[in-house]
Amino acid sequence: MNAVLSKNNAPVAEPVRSMWQLALRRFRADRIGVVSAVVVLAGLLLCLASAAGWMASAWNQEVGPSDRPPAWWVSGSAAEPSSAQPGTLAKKGAATPTDIEDPIAAELQEAALSIGRQSSQRREPTPTDIVDPIEAELAQARQQVTGSAGPSIGLGDATLWMGTDKWGRDVLAKTIKGAQTSILVGLSAALMATLIGAMLGAVTGWFGGWADDLGNWVYNVINAIPSILLILAIAAVLGTKGEWAIVLILGLTSWTGVYRLMRGEYMKQRQREYVRAAEAIGASSWRQIFVHVLPNVSHVLLVQFSLLTVACIKAEVILSYLGFGVPVDGVSWGTMLTEAQNDLLVGKWWQLLSATLAMSIFVTALSLLTDALRDALDPRIVQQGGQDV
Amino acid sequence: MGAYVVRRLWQMVPTLIGVILLVFFLFNWVGGDPAYVLAGLFSNDAQIEAIRRELGLDQPLWVQLWIFVQQVVTFDFGNSWTSGEPVSSLFLSRLPATITLLLPLLVIETVLCLALAVLLAWLRGELIDRVTMVIFTTAMSVSILVFIILGQYFLAYRWGLFPVQGWSDDLWTNLTRYAPLPILLGLLVSIAPNTRLFRSFVIEEVNQEYVRTAYAKGLSRRRVLFVHVLRNSMIPVITFVVSNLPALLLGSFLLERFFGIPGMGREIILAVERSDFPVIKATTVYLAIATMLFNLLGDLLYQVTDPRVELK
């Protein structure tokens, strides 16, 4: 008898761990998960730094000659610089014979675009700032001169790690700013979708009856329309473009999966004893839904949120590429890919590389993190996976 | 079976009503006054008034809704606002190109991904399996745009293996000349997500008891996986593919846009760019109907291929 008691007592002596503590312990054991969590956190910090203006705030300024290849590429291949990195003065002024492969049409277009940019920049300051635009142009001219004077000694070289785009903007800074836009848009849209889905799912799953019928009807309607079509239809009627339009479009169209899961969870949890107990002591329905049940299903929400963020970042890139997303004066990974497509045709690959690398690193890390989160938070899946030899 | 089909069709009615209401609400209320959209920049009050009368916008809202319902039922959405072509003939002329692209892509993709999935399930837990899964995750993180941009640039523009873009009226020319590169790129994009999904179907089958029985009978692993498991995991695969057919009609819109293929996807993007509301409305409603019908078809196929499944 004593022995039995002591055996039963033994586990009690161990500190009681909550679901989250257990999950954290499982998560820590997952090496891929931890590494991807670090990468995702670093990306998020970068976004915050950029949003706060500590980084890449000058992405829109001309910091070097246009279309300069990345610094590591220029210094890496000694033979390349003369052709791959034509001096801007020579290019914009008298074209040297070696520049003959550069079509003049492209240059004209570039010049027109850069003039367009300058004039649009000029309009921004108030009339009292009259000194400012000239100064900017002077600085820019000076930079062009120094840029062409010595391609390998110029100050701009060492810092322009990913080169410049056709307006002489730092591609690295653009990538960081683009990351801020794409990631924040993805996060906001996913947050919106998760909130909508969670609220609807909780209420319909909990109350059942006509609320459930109504919820299912809305779900069926939204699900009957292929999501890409719904996204495009809303984009067509909204008419406005911009980050918030995308958040709205993606948030309104991608909540159905969360809804379905949460509805099921709430129907299941409602029958559990702890909920019956809460009901017995007189907790109101809303209190039961949000205080008692919500923490017990929050791990489902976290995984869904993470999945949705990946999907929304990808969708933002495509929408911006199509011109329904981030407007031309903004920058996101999508707009960078749009520019990069044209750049590539004239052999300028670094913007494509930069945006692609940044996006794939972050999204891969986020996907792997999602997998790790799911494994850590839902041990049943691990068991299922472990059963098979 | 007959009673089941009738009941499922009956259940589609409220959903269809919802789709019609949603589309009507979106385009007649959120989208602003269609007359202004149609009249464009160069318009005066008289023109707008005329357009309003023509579209029935001067009628009360429920009459407008009735007009819309009539349009849906009669398949007559009027003319495209930009090309002036009737919407129905626009559909019919765009469908062949999409199907020429989609059908080979779908067949190759399904067979290839299923074979890969079984192979990966065979190597489950081994290094190759794990490395492949990481590669797939990475490949899925690279935007579709990058695949298409790079593929078009290198395979077509630089190396000249394929035409950069184009389309002809001849099916054979299209299949042999213009479609291969888009199909190849479509495969590259879809192979990772589909194989991952199909692999999970296969693994679900591997955990079934009949597999244990088959092993107990002394069958080889190859026979169990490629005969018993493969045939059973084809059931969810077929259902998945059939249910997703309508969505796939538009799914290749990026390929169609990049390669200048006059298909449905490119048409809908153009319609959105030009605020061509009749085209978008018609596409949305009919694709929703198609989606519901194909979902039903998928469920019926499920029952046909797997007699254990009971249709409720």
Side-chain angles (χ1 to χ4, degrees):
Chain A
M1 188 69 184
N2 252 352
V4 173
L5 270 182
S6 66
K7 252 181 203 165
N8 277 351
N9 282 345
V12 181
E14 209 171 296
V16 179
R17 290 173 197 276
S18 73
M19 181 186 81
W20 289 99
Q21 280 169 322
L22 286 170
L24 189 66
R25 204 165 58 172
R26 276 193 295 267
F27 183 76
R28 280 217 195 105
D30 188 345
R31 237 178 305 159
I32 295 179
V34 173
V35 171
S36 46
V38 171
V39 174
V40 169
L41 271 183
L44 291 179
L45 282 179
L46 210 64
C47 281
L48 286 182
S50 157
W54 300 330
M55 278 182 89
S57 54
W59 69 273
N60 214 354
Q61 273 156 32
E62 197 167 333
V63 293
S66 62
D67 286 331
R68 163 161 302 203
W72 49 269
W73 175 260
V74 176
S75 57
S77 52
E80 204 69 2
S82 55
S83 63
Q85 182 200 5
T88 20
L89 271 188
K91 197 175 168 192
K92 286 223 167 105
T96 54
T98 49
D99 276 335
I100 208 144
E101 78 265 29
D102 268 24
I104 277 171
E107 279 176 48
L108 272 176
Q109 196 190 357
E110 248 166 52
L113 281 168
S114 70
I115 286 166
R117 283 208 63 72
Q118 283 162 18
S119 63
S120 73
Q121 277 176 351
R122 211 177 281 148
R123 238 176 277 122
E124 282 165 15
T126 51
T128 50
D129 280 337
I130 206 144
V131 195
D132 204 20
I134 297 171
E135 215 171 69
E137 271 170 61
L138 267 177
Q140 177 192 309
R142 233 176 265 132
Q143 244 160 5
Q144 282 178 357
V145 171
T146 51
S148 68
S152 53
I153 323 162
L155 192 76
D157 286 12
T159 51
L160 296 173
W161 274 108
M162 284 313 296
T164 58
D165 68 359
K166 64 179 162 195
W167 296 305
R169 300 182 297 189
D170 184 359
V171 170
L172 186 63
K174 262 180 94 176
T175 311
I176 294 174
K177 202 70 189 169
Q180 181 207 327
T181 315
S182 294
I183 295 175
L184 288 187
V185 163
L187 282 175
S188 318
L191 187 68
M192 184 173 165
T194 313
L195 283 180
I196 297 177
M199 289 293 265
L200 274 179
V203 170
T204 56
W206 182 268
F207 290 109
W210 64 266
D212 194 29
D213 291 342
L214 187 69
N216 278 339
W217 180 65
V218 175
Y219 169 84
N220 282 332
V221 169
I222 302 273
N223 247 24
I225 305 172
S227 59
I228 178 65
L229 188 56
L230 193 59
I231 288 173
L232 289 177
I234 298 182
V237 294
L238 269 185
T240 54
K241 288 172 188 171
E243 287 90 342
W244 291 110
I246 315 179
V247 171
L248 200 67
I249 293 171
L250 294 177
L252 283 176
T253 51
S254 44
W255 52 268
T256 48
V258 185
Y259 160 81
R260 201 76 191 160
L261 275 174
M262 286 307 274
R263 175 176 168 271
E265 282 293 326
Y266 267 82
M267 285 165 75
K268 202 170 70 190
Q269 298 284 335
R270 209 190 161 169
Q271 309 304 325
R272 292 280 172 85
E273 278 177 356
Y274 75 96
V275 181
R276 313 296 293 180
E279 200 181 349
I281 59 169
S284 71
S285 289
W286 296 108
R287 198 176 155 76
Q288 288 176 56
I289 290 176
F290 291 110
V291 180
H292 295 266
V293 179
L294 191 60
N296 286 306
V297 295
S298 49
H299 61 284
V300 181
L301 279 184
L302 185 65
V303 173
Q304 288 300 310
F305 172 68
S306 182
L307 276 175
L308 275 175
T309 309
V310 171
C312 287
I313 289 176
K314 285 192 201 166
E316 183 277 329
V317 169
I318 290 174
L319 277 183
S320 294
Y321 172 81
L322 289 175
F324 306 132
V326 175
V328 243
D329 55 333
V331 62
S332 83
W333 287 334
T335 61
M336 284 183 74
L337 286 182
T338 317
E339 288 174 24
Q341 188 197 356
N342 298 324
D343 286 354
L344 191 64
L345 287 178
V346 285
K348 314 220 159 52
W349 43 267
W350 42 94
Q351 185 157 216
L352 181 67
L353 178 78
S354 188
T356 307
L357 262 187
M359 182 178 163
S360 20
I361 291 174
F362 186 80
V363 175
T364 306
L366 193 55
S367 307
L368 293 173
L369 176 65
T370 310
D371 288 348
L373 277 179
R374 185 164 34 192
D375 291 349
L377 288 168
D378 204 343
R380 280 170 305 168
I381 293 174
V382 180
Q383 273 172 11
Q384 274 176 9
Q387 270 173 9
D388 180 63
V389 183
Chain B
M1 187 101 139
Y4 173 78
V5 173
V6 170
R7 201 156 39 82
R8 278 287 298 265
L9 288 174
W10 182 243
Q11 282 167 354
M12 284 176 196
V13 174
T15 312
L16 182 60
I17 293 174
V19 170
I20 289 175
L21 282 177
L22 177 71
V23 172
F24 181 75
F25 168 79
L26 267 182
F27 285 90
N28 285 48
W29 193 75
V30 181
D33 192 335
Y36 285 93
V37 180
L38 178 53
L41 287 173
F42 312 101
S43 58
N44 53 41
D45 288 349
Q47 278 174 314
I48 286 179
E49 208 44 51
I51 292 169
R52 289 178 71 90
R53 211 169 307 118
E54 194 191 319
L55 295 178
L57 293 172
D58 49 348
Q59 309 276 338
L61 214 54
W62 61 271
V63 178
Q64 291 181 41
L65 182 60
W66 178 239
I67 295 174
F68 183 48
V69 172
Q70 281 177 324
Q71 286 178 332
V72 173
V73 176
T74 57
F75 294 91
D76 181 13
F77 275 79
N79 296 340
S80 155
W81 286 357
T82 48
S83 65
E85 228 177 313
V87 175
S88 47
S89 75
L90 195 75
F91 274 139
L92 289 178
S93 64
R94 298 299 183 265
L95 211 53
T98 298
I99 291 177
T100 310
L101 182 64
L102 197 66
L103 209 60
L105 174 61
L106 200 65
V107 172
I108 301 173
E109 175 189 301
T110 312
V111 172
L112 196 68
C113 291
L114 190 58
L116 265 177
V118 176
L119 206 65
L120 284 180
W122 190 0
L123 302 168
R124 180 132 181 261
E126 282 179 34
L127 190 66
I128 301 178
D129 176 42
R130 271 180 289 168
V131 169
T132 314
M133 292 314 275
V134 170
I135 291 175
F136 279 176
T137 309
T138 318
M140 282 164 72
S141 309
V142 178
S143 180
I144 301 172
L145 294 168
V146 176
F147 280 101
I148 303 180
I149 291 175
L150 285 181
Q152 196 178 30
Y153 178 70
F154 282 109
L155 297 175
Y157 181 76
R158 282 288 290 271
W159 301 336
L161 301 174
F162 302 94
V164 174
Q165 54 169 236
W167 201 252
S168 74
D169 293 329
D170 180 44
L171 176 70
W172 185 246
T173 317
N174 285 335
L175 271 180
T176 52
R177 192 172 150 72
Y178 294 115
L181 182 56
I183 289 177
L184 182 71
L185 292 175
L187 269 180
L188 277 180
V189 171
S190 60
I191 217 164
N194 279 0
T195 308
R196 266 176 73 124
L197 182 74
F198 292 175
R199 179 178 171 273
S200 72
F201 291 155
V202 174
I203 282 172
E204 199 159 296
E205 289 301 321
V206 169
N207 289 330
Q208 299 286 327
E209 282 179 357
Y210 72 83
V211 175
R212 200 183 307 159
T213 313
Y215 279 128
K217 281 201 305 186
L219 294 181
S220 70
R221 198 164 177 210
R222 183 193 303 239
R223 189 166 169 80
V224 172
L225 270 175
F226 284 92
V227 178
H228 296 235
V229 169
L230 180 65
R231 276 172 61 178
N232 278 295
S233 46
M234 266 168 72
I235 297 168
V237 168
I238 290 172
T239 316
F240 170 79
V241 171
V242 169
S243 309
N244 278 296
L245 268 178
L248 284 174
L249 278 183
L250 288 183
S252 50
F253 68 97
L254 282 175
L255 287 172
E256 291 180 359
R257 192 184 157 96
F258 269 92
F259 290 98
I261 299 168
M264 298 274 294
R266 200 180 71 133
E267 197 57 39
I268 194 79
I269 301 285
L270 284 175
V272 173
E273 276 171 358
R274 298 166 178 168
S275 295
D276 197 342
F277 285 4
V279 174
I280 310 171
K281 276 155 82 172
T283 316
T284 313
V285 172
Y286 290 129
L287 270 190
I289 296 175
T291 306
M292 289 188 277
L293 289 177
F294 274 85
N295 269 329
L296 173 61
L297 192 64
D299 288 351
L300 292 178
L301 271 177
Y302 209 126
Q303 210 267 340
V304 171
T305 45
D306 186 353
R308 290 171 303 176
V309 175
E310 214 176 308
L311 296 174
K312 282 179 283 191

